[in-house]
Amino acid sequence: MKVFVYGTLQRGQPNSKLFDNTKDGHYKYLGVGVTVKKYPLVIASMFNIPFMLPVEGSGNNIRGEVYEVDERMLEALDGLERHPVFYRREMIPVTCEDGCVVECGCYLLFDFRKELLELQFYDSYDSNGSHNLPYVLRSERKTNDKDGISTVMSLVKNI
Ligand code: PCA
């Protein structure tokens, strides 16, 4: 199955190492991709987490990376992204470098708080970009809940 990643899972970004745990299955990097549709891509919460929001036609065509992953790797990615509780994986069309359009799984934030639509919309994500909002690793989050996920959920989702 193909996945499109646009955030911290991209090469050189804070969670890209996940792809290299071979006990979590296997992957093949297929190249850069751009979403066929426009979406808002925002950086939110005190941990500066990137979220693509399922509002088609608003925002930008998002640039990311396309991977072929096996079943085990997909499970590992779903685990990291807490699909379907936190991000939810949905199929979206993506244009690859060769111009072909492929359907890819992509982690979007559903049931998000409407305030997120007032944030700046990006067209690609780099934790160390000029926005000065570097991603805070789960291991570095100082919250009462383990890895800060419940804290983040209450900030960005309507739950
Ligand atoms: N990880 C997933 C979704 C957002 C994030 O940080 C990704 O890179 O696509």
Side-chain angles (χ1 to χ4, degrees):
M1 136 117 182
K2 289 184 177 57
V3 293
F4 171 78
V5 307
Y6 60 88
T8 59
L9 284 170
Q10 296 177 99
R11 292 176 158 192
Q13 296 300 315
N15 288 325
S16 63
K17 293 171 288 297
L18 185 112
F19 279 116
D20 293 320
N21 289 334
T22 44
K23 69 164 176 39
D24 287 332
H26 296 93
Y27 72 93
K28 185 165 180 248
Y29 173 69
L30 299 180
V32 167
V34 179
T35 61
V36 170
K37 299 171 190 165
K38 293 184 179 350
Y39 301 89
L41 168 58
V42 300
I43 301 175
S45 87
M46 73 276 240
F47 306 127
N48 301 328
I49 303 174
F51 296 109
M52 229 169 96
L53 307 175
V55 187
E56 289 178 6
S58 167
N60 301 297
N61 300 90
I62 308 296
R63 185 181 172 284
E65 299 173 344
V66 178
Y67 291 81
E68 178 71 39
V69 298
D70 65 12
E71 200 54 41
R72 208 144 40 102
M73 181 60 71
L74 186 64
E75 273 172 33
L77 296 176
D78 285 353
L80 179 83
E81 306 304 347
R82 304 288 207 283
H83 164 75
V85 179
F86 186 38
Y87 291 90
R88 193 210 295 173
R89 176 165 47 80
E90 292 271 311
M91 299 302 288
I92 64 162
V94 174
T95 308
C96 296
E97 279 170 78
D98 62 4
C100 288
V101 173
V102 292
E103 289 288 321
C104 300
C106 176
Y107 296 97
L108 296 150
L109 187 74
F110 282 79
D111 308 315
F112 61 89
R113 284 184 181 265
K114 291 290 164 276
E115 299 92 273
L116 267 56
L117 293 172
E118 284 154 33
L119 296 170
Q120 183 171 342
F121 295 168
Y122 298 91
D123 60 8
S124 64
Y125 175 78
D126 175 3
S127 172
N128 291 314
S130 56
H131 47 66
N132 255 309
L133 300 168
Y135 181 75
V136 180
L137 286 170
R138 290 184 188 174
S139 56
E140 289 162 10
R141 295 179 191 169
K142 293 181 181 63
T143 51
N144 294 327
D145 57 318
K146 182 184 158 289
D147 64 24
I149 290 295
S150 314
T151 303
V152 177
M153 294 247 287
S154 64
L155 288 169
V156 302
K157 291 189 78 150
N158 285 316
I159 44 163

